[in-house]
Structure formats: structure tokens, C-alpha cells
Amino acid sequence: MDRRCALKTTTVLLAAAPLAGCSGRLKTFTAWQQARQAVLELLFQDKLVQGNPWNLSQVLQHLAQSIEFSMQGFPMLKGAWFRSTVGSAAFAVFSGRGEMSHDLSEPIPGAPALDAAQALKDAVNRLLAAMDAFAEFSGTLRPHFAYGELTKAQYERAHLMHLANHWTQFHARTAQA
């Protein structure tokens, strides 16, 4: 299969793919401040993570890593060909539909391990600090490990979609009978 055919096939598959972990309750964030508020509210809500071996703190650490790496550089990048074709096409599809879907338990390639014992408060504070740093960042953003080069507006959209995709896993803890 030649590259052009592979790219078209991948784009069609991505566009038709169902949202992983979505059961009709997709949370969307349209603004950075809205997402920041939702992160802060996690300190006052009793949430469980379903469909993922990570606990809530680990998911928030993962989200913080993603934002931090957009400014610092990702530890590992997919190949240049992938980033400029399949990766950029995937971002275009996600951005066009306003929703991202990805394996919600897959760590960022090369990222440090997530600490299962880290207190929720510490994970929330780390994510909020990463979000604040990103909002204030005026330097050169680093290529996304899969999507490649993104502008600040594109990165913000990617981060908002990434947050929303993980929010589909958060469910209120209910009393057990």
C-alpha cells in the first residue's frame, strides 16, 4: 500500500472511529478557564476513574505531563513521516469534530511513571500549575509526539480535547449497599 493510500485509509478510519470510553456523557471544554475550573472542582467531588488502571491522581499527572511536554519537549517522538502524515491527519480529524479519542490508559511515550500514591491535592496542583504555565508561555512550543508542530491555539485545543476525553472516565463515587 502506498503512503497516499495509507493516509487516506487512516483518515477515514479515524473519522469513523467511535469515541473511546464515551457513553454519551462527553464533557467538552471550550475555554481554558472552564477546564481549569473543572480541575479545581475535583478537590471537592468524590470521583472514581472507570475503565483505566490509573487512579484519579495518576490521570491528572498524565494530563499535566502532556501540557508540560508541549513546552519542554516530549521524551520520545514518533517518526517525522508519522507526525507529518498520520499524526497531523488525526489531529485535524479530532479538531474538526471537537473531540479526541485515544487509549485512555496509554502513557506518553518515554514519560516518567505515574505515582499511584501521590495525593489528589498534589496532582490537582501540578495540573493547575501546568495549565497556568501554558497560558503564560510565550516561548517556542515543542512538537507533539504524534501530531507534530502545533501552534499555541492548536495546542490549547489539543489539551482541552485531551482533558475532555479523560473526563469521560470520571464518575461520582456512589455508596455501596
Side-chain angles (χ1 to χ4, degrees):
M1 180 183 302
D2 68 17
R3 288 181 182 183
R4 188 174 311 157
C5 182
L7 180 58
K8 286 179 184 178
T9 301
T10 302
T11 302
V12 168
L13 290 173
L14 286 169
L19 292 174
C22 183
S23 58
R25 297 185 314 268
L26 184 64
K27 172 80 171 168
T28 59
F29 297 117
T30 57
W32 201 245
Q33 188 58 35
Q34 177 192 25
R36 196 179 184 293
Q37 183 62 36
V39 173
L40 185 60
E41 288 171 2
L42 291 174
L43 291 173
F44 306 102
Q45 302 169 350
D46 197 11
K47 296 283 189 182
L48 291 173
V49 177
Q50 293 181 339
N52 193 327
W54 297 341
N55 64 35
L56 184 56
S57 174
Q58 289 172 296
V59 172
L60 299 180
Q61 293 168 55
H62 166 78
L63 292 165
Q65 284 178 337
S66 178
I67 295 169
E68 293 161 353
F69 291 149
S70 68
M71 296 176 284
Q72 302 166 359
F74 283 83
M76 294 175 61
L77 299 175
K78 293 200 177 269
W81 179 86
F82 183 94
R83 291 191 317 268
S84 67
T85 57
V86 177
S88 65
F91 177 74
V93 168
F94 295 155
S95 185
R97 71 181 185 193
E99 300 170 353
M100 175 186 292
S101 60
H102 74 296
D103 180 347
L104 298 173
S105 62
E106 185 175 351
I108 296 167
L114 305 170
D115 181 0
Q118 186 176 76
L120 178 61
K121 180 181 177 183
D122 293 336
V124 165
N125 287 335
R126 179 180 176 187
L127 179 51
L128 291 173
M131 294 177 80
D132 290 345
F134 181 84
E136 297 295 320
F137 192 75
S138 60
T140 302
L141 292 165
R142 310 304 296 168
H144 186 274
F145 77 93
Y147 305 148
E149 300 289 336
L150 298 176
T151 65
K152 186 163 186 185
Q154 289 171 321
Y155 247 128
E156 182 175 314
R157 183 156 175 85
H159 291 318
L160 289 173
M161 290 187 299
H162 190 209
L163 285 159
N165 193 199
H166 279 283
W167 244 252
T168 63
Q169 301 178 288
F170 301 168
H171 302 277
R173 186 183 306 263
T174 57
Q176 300 285 331

